[in-house]
Amino acid sequence: MSAQPETRIDPSDLSAEQVTRMLEVVEGGGRPVLIGADGERIELPSALNDLFLSIIQAMRRKEAVFLMHENEAFTTQAAANFLGVSRQYLVRLLEDGQIPFHFVGTHRRVLFADLVAYQQTRSEMRRAKLDAMTEELVEAGLYDRFVPLERSDAEA
């Protein structure tokens, strides 16, 4: 038996009726409450309520939910899978200092929080480059110009 509680919630863990009833309450403006052994009722704070709602919505879509601590250490392969890149590319990012890592013995480990931070930075950089490209097109007067995708017979 594991010392840690299971942090994966499978859609089959809840019946369709349970999911529907919970969604009706939460989406209808109701708030889940915790009830202590002595009957004390505590309404869930907004952050926990939002998390609960996203879990229930994932259950409705038949998606499993996995809750993980931000200091969870990933292997290089798991980190690469998370980012959608090859392991070799990830190792290059680690060695270039773009993502922090540590060693466990001779194996590299990457914290989940660092992967998320890199992912956000990468998205912001991509967005800034696209904005710059769009600005160049606008300045050149090409942004809203129609460009046919098919070649005419004369060009072929």
Side-chain angles (χ1 to χ4, degrees):
M1 185 177 198
S2 174
Q4 285 187 319
E6 180 64 39
T7 57
R8 182 178 190 279
I9 303 168
D10 194 83
S12 63
D13 292 343
L14 300 173
S15 72
E17 180 186 339
Q18 289 173 317
V19 171
T20 301
R21 288 179 52 214
M22 286 188 274
L23 271 172
E24 287 171 357
V25 170
V26 176
E27 289 178 342
R31 265 326 241 297
V33 295
L34 299 174
I35 301 174
D38 60 354
E40 179 186 7
R41 299 170 59 91
I42 302 171
E43 191 174 279
L44 283 185
S46 291
L48 288 178
N49 186 65
D50 294 346
L51 179 61
F52 179 72
L53 179 59
S54 67
I55 291 170
I56 297 301
Q57 289 170 338
M59 295 289 109
R60 177 174 54 188
R61 294 186 305 268
K62 305 282 189 232
E63 298 173 350
V65 176
F66 187 80
L67 184 64
M68 143 180 3
H69 298 278
E70 64 180 7
N71 62 351
E72 185 77 28
F74 279 41
T75 63
T76 53
Q77 185 61 61
N81 291 347
F82 176 79
L83 293 176
V85 299
S86 70
R87 194 186 76 74
Q88 293 81 2
Y89 182 75
L90 177 86
V91 169
R92 192 174 335 135
L93 292 173
L94 299 177
E95 291 175 351
D96 289 347
Q98 293 187 44
I99 303 174
F101 70 97
H102 63 277
F103 281 99
V104 175
T106 59
H107 301 280
R108 294 177 188 90
R109 296 292 185 261
V110 184
L111 296 181
F112 178 64
D114 293 330
L115 290 174
V116 171
Y118 171 78
Q119 194 176 47
Q120 290 172 341
T121 301
R122 181 180 65 178
S123 292
E124 289 167 4
M125 287 174 38
R126 287 177 176 172
R127 195 171 301 113
K129 287 180 183 179
L130 285 171
D131 289 347
M133 288 171 51
T134 302
E135 190 174 310
E136 288 176 16
L137 288 171
V138 168
E139 288 173 3
L142 301 172
Y143 179 73
D144 57 354
R145 184 174 157 208
F146 174 75
V147 178
L149 298 178
E150 297 85 26
R151 290 185 177 183
S152 66
D153 291 337
E155 293 178 293

